[in-house]
Amino acid sequence: MSNPAPAEPAPEAAELAALRAECALLRRTNARLRRELDDALPVLAALRQARIWDFVPYDVQLDADWLAIDRDDVERLMRALAANDHWRPWGRTLERRLESR
């Protein structure tokens, strides 16, 4: 008959309290990160669906500062960004740029 392996000593009360505090912190951090991810998902979806067209390679009469993007896609992107309270990128709707050429 062999002797059973000695049982590991129970953790000290202070160590157990520290582990519980660390676990609570990790749970709060995980919940915060999940909320941030949930906020970012509509932005990422809008960016993936955006149809962007650069005028420059097509010799259009606009300077290199211009970039065309579908207006509905931009407005969807702006709504997705504006829905995040901590970002607040724009407080008004997109206005058309008027040029006199």
Side-chain angles (χ1 to χ4, degrees), residues 55 61-71 74-75 78 92-101:
F55 287 104
Q61 298 299 318
L62 300 173
D63 62 35
D65 291 339
W66 281 76
L67 181 70
I69 184 168
D70 181 78
R71 181 165 302 281
V74 171
E75 289 178 356
M78 290 172 62
R92 58 183 168 264
T93 60
L94 185 66
E95 296 178 12
R96 295 189 183 276
R97 185 172 183 175
L98 300 176
E99 295 243 353
S100 57
R101 288 189 183 229

Side-chain angles (χ1 to χ4, degrees), residues 20-75:
R20 285 183 175 148
E22 183 179 359
C23 184
L25 174 64
L26 291 172
R27 285 182 177 155
R28 285 191 306 272
T29 301
N30 185 44
R32 179 183 51 79
L33 291 172
R34 284 181 182 270
R35 283 191 307 272
E36 289 180 13
L37 177 61
D38 288 344
D39 288 346
L41 289 176
V43 176
L44 296 174
L47 285 170
R48 281 189 205 112
Q49 295 171 0
R51 293 179 305 266
I52 299 172
W53 183 68
D54 187 351
F55 287 104
V56 176
Y58 301 99
D59 294 324
V60 176
Q61 298 299 318
L62 300 173
D63 62 35
D65 291 339
W66 281 76
L67 181 70
I69 184 168
D70 181 78
R71 181 165 302 281
D72 292 335
D73 292 342
V74 171
E75 289 178 356

